[in-house]
Amino acid sequence: MEKKRILSGIQPSGNLMIGNYIGALKSWVKMQEEYDCYYVLVDMHAITVRQDPKILRRRCYDFIALYIASGIDPEKSAIFIQSHVSAHAELAWVLNCITYTGELNRMTQFKEKSVKNIKNINAGLYTYPVLMAADILLYQAHFVPVGHDQKQHLELARDLAQRFNSLYSDTFTVPKPYIPKVGARIMSLQEPEKKMSKSDENINNYIALLDEPDIIRAKIRRAVTDSNTSIEYDNNRPGISNLITIYSIITEKSFDEIKDDFKNKGYKEFKDDLAEVIIEYLKPLQNNYKRIRNDKQYLEDVLKNGKEQAFRSARKTLSKVYRKVGFIQPT
Ligand code: TRP
């Protein structure tokens, strides 16, 4: 039986952090065994907000090295960069022509980002969900692992696939969201009501995958808790509950076990312990990263192979699409 296909992507913006690892990369690694996986770094999405070209270029290498350091194996999965496969932009155009502006007006992320980037509400930001649909549909992905904030975009990808299929004829696999079994949400350290984000302006809100031990200690020490004292998971106490969640995921201890372990102890002891737990957890990844990031030739080779693999699959879909909409095949 042929393996089902997975596609997922991350934008090269901000710093990959522990929430990305727990929420995405770790499950990407697992999925490699069971699925045919395509993992794309979406640099074309990143330029919908202003980027410093030098930083963007460096960050793309950093992120690819972190994908691999996390355990994504280029022998098993296609690891590639979106702008290396021009079919993404080409399919996005065709899909733009079957997307209604009404659909894009409803996108909550566009509305949020417009408020944040009031001076640069560009057309790319507006049609971003269509480019994302192209990323997915090009590869005929069956499943797309995405966080809650991307569900609406995935819904659009499904609608566009169905619309194209019924306007022309069966062309695209209609993708489904892939919800990981343990769906813990890691929240911001300083504002635990909001999700931990790699693009947060306040770097104290997240633990970056490449943070040094002393930085990790300082960030955890500063993490917001409350005036209570018990180390206990409680929906009304988002700060400590978030720290307990992180502790529980890393140590694989239940909330009850953690509560017992810290019965007569205070926040300080818990936080000190949590910091060390995180430091140990990230150590192998950080060591792998250093080795991989320094080997530029290896990274170039991975990207070249990834690009070739992606290109083959993407071109097949794109030429079908071009044929169906009535474009003459060039000779
Ligand atoms: N929009 C996604 C995000 O910001 C990133 C993304 C782009 C993506 N293309 C994708 C995710 C395709 C999954 C599949 O998180």
Side-chain angles (χ1 to χ4, degrees), residues 7-11 42 45 128 132 135-136 144-146 150 153:
L7 180 131
S8 200
I10 291 182
Q11 289 193 52
V42 292
H45 278 90
Y128 166 123
M132 177 165 161
D135 299 341
I136 298 165
V144 182
V146 283
Q150 296 297 320
H153 293 163

